[in-house]
Amino acid sequence: MKYFFLFFLTGVFVLSAFFSLKAEGNIRVTILYDNTAFAEGTKPDWGFSCLIEGTEKTILFDTGTRSTILLDNIKILKADMSRVDQVVISHNHGDHTGGLSAFLEINHDVTVFLPFSFHDSYAGRIKEMKAQSKPVSEPVEICSDVYSTGELGESVKEQSLVLDTSRGIVVITGCSHPGIVDILKKAKEILNKNIYLVFGGFHLMNKSDAEMKAIIDDFKKLGVEKVGATHCTGPKQIDMFRKEWGENFVEMGVGRVITFDK
Ligand SMILES: [Fe+2]
Ligand SMILES: [Fe+2]
């Protein structure tokens, strides 16, 4: 009886360890293109792209500037592009759209979500490459627990991604031309939850120290737990986030892998 009880307890322990392992870090984001390199052997260049796995659909967010660099980083990082189902293009700037054709040559069995303001000819070129495209104007759930903020901003229109996770909202931005604080407010409007993590380009390179203090204050008021400022945020401005968030600052760069629970 005593041995049976011990055997039973061991079984419960092994099973619970298995399920907690399965549940932990089951969304995985790999940075494929960024202004800096994180993993050895990867190539840094001005631009942004990341691969999101573990969500209902595998998503490529933005495609960097130069297709050769994107493809080299994909190869070095052994990122499996054949599994991508959806591509989200944040906005119509070359440092986010540059690698799209090269990607579609590898895998055209995808739906490309474009901000509504993209010219029709862009969707036409995607169709010529045998892929589907969908224009996005309002906030929309593109697959289970993954939302687009919809097209935001005035001069440069842009969409960002919002993930609904057990730790809270995860926001992924391209350049944040509509304003990073407004994007975060929109994300909260869509999901009404705490913001666990935001990463990507924040486009703050011309902001003064006083303006940065106000933005950091807004981040805190919004309760942003972790920050991965990169790409076009500006080196000095990235450093201000790094100092302010300490161990909750997430270092970015090509090859960085971020994992979090669903
Ligand atoms: Fe950019
Ligand atoms: Fe941009």
Side-chain angles (χ1 to χ4, degrees):
M1 190 65 190
K2 192 174 124 195
Y3 289 112
F4 173 77
F5 188 62
L6 268 174
F7 182 70
F8 176 73
L9 269 184
T10 313
V12 168
F13 177 76
V14 168
L15 275 175
S16 60
F18 173 71
F19 281 110
S20 68
L21 265 180
K22 250 193 103 181
E24 209 169 288
N26 44 23
I27 297 181
R28 180 185 162 95
V29 180
T30 307
I31 308 303
L32 299 176
Y33 212 108
D34 202 351
N35 298 35
T36 54
F38 182 86
E40 212 172 307
T42 60
K43 293 182 180 168
D45 185 39
W46 183 283
F48 191 70
S49 172
C50 65
L51 176 68
I52 305 153
E53 297 168 288
T55 38
E56 186 204 352
K57 307 278 186 190
T58 300
I59 305 164
L60 177 66
F61 178 77
D62 283 343
T63 60
T65 309
R66 292 166 62 191
S67 52
T68 48
I69 292 179
L70 178 69
L71 296 178
D72 281 352
N73 285 337
I74 284 169
K75 203 171 159 192
I76 291 159
L77 296 167
K78 297 187 175 68
D80 187 357
M81 292 294 115
S82 70
R83 293 180 59 195
V84 173
D85 309 291
Q86 298 181 326
V87 180
V88 175
I89 298 292
S90 63
H91 66 298
N92 198 359
H93 280 169
D95 53 334
H96 299 258
T97 61
L100 180 60
S101 301
F103 166 76
L104 292 177
E105 275 168 24
I106 300 170
N107 177 3
H108 59 249
D109 196 13
V110 294
T111 303
V112 184
F113 292 83
L114 297 172
F116 185 80
S117 56
F118 270 56
H119 195 274
D120 286 347
S121 63
Y122 206 93
R125 284 207 299 281
I126 289 170
K127 202 176 166 191
E128 273 167 28
M129 295 194 76
K130 300 186 175 65
Q132 311 256 334
S133 70
K134 269 192 186 162
V136 178
S137 50
E138 296 302 311
V140 62
E141 189 176 25
I142 64 162
C143 67
S144 181
D145 296 330
V146 181
Y147 298 78
S148 162
T149 55
E151 200 180 49
L152 303 177
E154 298 299 327
S155 55
V156 181
K157 301 211 169 176
E158 180 170 342
Q159 62 177 335
S160 306
L161 276 187
V162 185
L163 277 60
D164 188 1
T165 82
S166 55
R167 303 290 292 268
I169 298 170
V170 173
V171 183
I172 308 174
T173 62
C175 261
S176 301
H177 294 289
I180 184 63
V181 173
D182 284 349
I183 293 169
L184 293 176
K185 283 179 182 165
K186 189 73 188 181
K188 254 193 143 155
E189 212 179 287
I190 295 168
L191 285 173
N192 193 24
K193 276 181 150 186
N194 63 302
I195 301 172
Y196 170 60
L197 164 69
V198 55
F199 66 89
F202 297 171
H203 204 74
L204 301 172
M205 70 284 255
N206 298 320
K207 298 288 179 197
S208 67
D209 286 5
E211 287 171 314
M212 279 303 295
K213 275 205 176 87
I215 289 163
I216 285 169
D217 271 0
D218 284 340
F219 268 56
K220 296 210 160 155
K221 275 182 211 144
L222 285 161
V224 179
E225 201 179 321
K226 289 177 185 262
V227 176
T230 190
H231 176 43
C232 57
T233 305
K236 187 180 162 199
Q237 290 78 0
I238 289 174
D239 220 38
M240 289 177 88
F241 281 111
R242 187 182 281 119
K243 283 200 182 103
E244 205 62 42
W245 264 263
E247 60 178 21
N248 281 325
F249 182 83
V250 182
E251 294 294 341
M252 301 290 286
V254 186
R256 171 66 172 180
V257 176
I258 307 159
T259 56
F260 42 87
D261 300 348
K262 245 183 195 168

